[in-house]
Structure formats: structure tokens, C-alpha cells
Amino acid sequence: MTDPIERQVVSGDRFVGARFPAHTQVVSPGFALPLEPVNDLDGAVRTALEAPLDTPPLREQVSPGDRVTIAFDDPTVPCYAPVWATALPAIVGELEAGGIRTKDISLVCANALHRQFTHDELARTIGTEMVGAHSDRLTCHDAEDPDDMVMVGTTRSGLDVQLSR
């Protein structure tokens, strides 16, 4: 008999160890991002916003009167979750520095086909201050709501492409 396979799997907002039967087929997503941890997350986010690669800073790309939607990963994607509570306030600050009013900034949890998350659950990912400041403009994407989806075209292979309004 062959030993079981041990892997780390996503469970809620973290990874947990799990044992699978030896005959389990492990499928890789097909890519890996070789990201190194940073010692100063606030500084790394600030640097990225002040000097982005190959594009002007965010504050220079917006104009007063624009409306902006910021999408972020849902709580089941723990690999990037720590950055959201740091990055979102900095992004909002950059937008406001560019003349965007807070009331014209919406936040959307990009939860794909996962269930709709509560504001309390989202607060654990993006912070209670962000939820409080944007609660009336904080939603979860609903891929199963036909009224919230718009057809944008068809791929060359004949697949329909829809996006959230």
C-alpha cells in the first residue's frame, strides 16, 4: 500500500494540511507567481502606487467626477488576503488625491461563483474601517444574477463572454 499524499489546501481564509489517498491526482493551476514576502507591506504598497511599472500613478489616471470600482479577492483566496487591508485604503487615498469623491468609489468582492459574503466576513479581509466607510457601496459579485451580467461578445471558439455590470 502506498502512503497518502499530504497537501496544503484552501479552507476558508487560510491553508490547512490535508491527507488524500495515494491514488489522488493533484492538478496544478498551471502557473506560479514567484513572489517574495516583503518586510514593510505599507512601504511596498506605497512604492507601487507612487511609481507603478509602465504607467502613470493612479492619481494621474483619474479626473474629478469619475466613478471607480475596485475589485478584490474574496476571503477564500488567502494567498493575497493580507495585502487588501493595507492596499485598499492606500488605493482609495490615491483616487481621492486625484479628485475622486469617496461616494464615487465602489468596492466589489470578486467572489466568482462562491456565495455572497457578509460585511462582517469581508471586514476580516479588507478591514473594518474600509467596510464602515464604504458599506453602502460594498457588494459581492453575483455571477448567477442575469440582471447584473452583460454580454460583451463571443470568443473565436464560440464561448459567450459576460461581465458584471
Side-chain angles (χ1 to χ4, degrees):
M1 183 161 162
T2 310
D3 291 336
I5 297 171
E6 295 191 26
R7 293 287 191 264
Q8 293 289 311
V9 296
V10 174
S11 176
D13 62 353
R14 64 186 147 279
F15 286 96
V16 297
R19 295 177 67 178
F20 298 95
H23 65 274
T24 301
Q25 182 178 0
V26 178
V27 179
S28 168
F31 64 89
L33 298 175
L35 300 176
E36 296 294 323
V38 296
N39 292 326
D40 177 12
L41 184 57
D42 289 323
V45 168
R46 194 171 39 259
T47 298
L49 288 171
E50 291 172 0
L53 301 175
D54 300 324
T55 187
L58 185 58
R59 68 174 60 199
E60 295 175 17
Q61 297 183 53
V62 296
S63 301
D66 287 350
R67 294 183 328 170
V68 177
T69 299
I70 303 169
F72 60 93
D73 293 317
D74 70 54
T76 69
V77 185
C79 49
Y80 298 111
V83 77
W84 290 122
T86 300
L88 286 177
I91 292 167
V92 168
E94 283 294 298
L95 292 169
E96 290 172 339
I100 305 298
R101 297 176 300 188
T102 303
K103 71 176 194 157
D104 290 330
I105 300 171
S106 298
L107 302 176
V108 176
C109 177
N111 53 297
L113 288 170
H114 295 151
R115 68 172 175 78
Q116 305 292 294
F117 293 91
T118 68
H119 281 189
D120 287 340
E121 291 170 320
L122 294 175
R124 291 192 294 265
T125 300
I126 66 172
T128 56
E129 289 181 14
M130 287 302 295
V131 171
H134 299 274
S135 64
D136 60 328
R137 296 171 319 285
L138 171 61
T139 60
C140 287
H141 170 66
D142 186 354
E144 297 180 301
D145 179 0
D147 294 333
D148 194 38
M149 303 300 292
V150 61
M151 174 68 113
V152 294
T154 305
T155 66
R156 289 184 189 142
S157 59
L159 299 173
D160 292 338
V161 178
Q162 295 181 342
L163 294 177
S164 174
R165 290 185 189 280

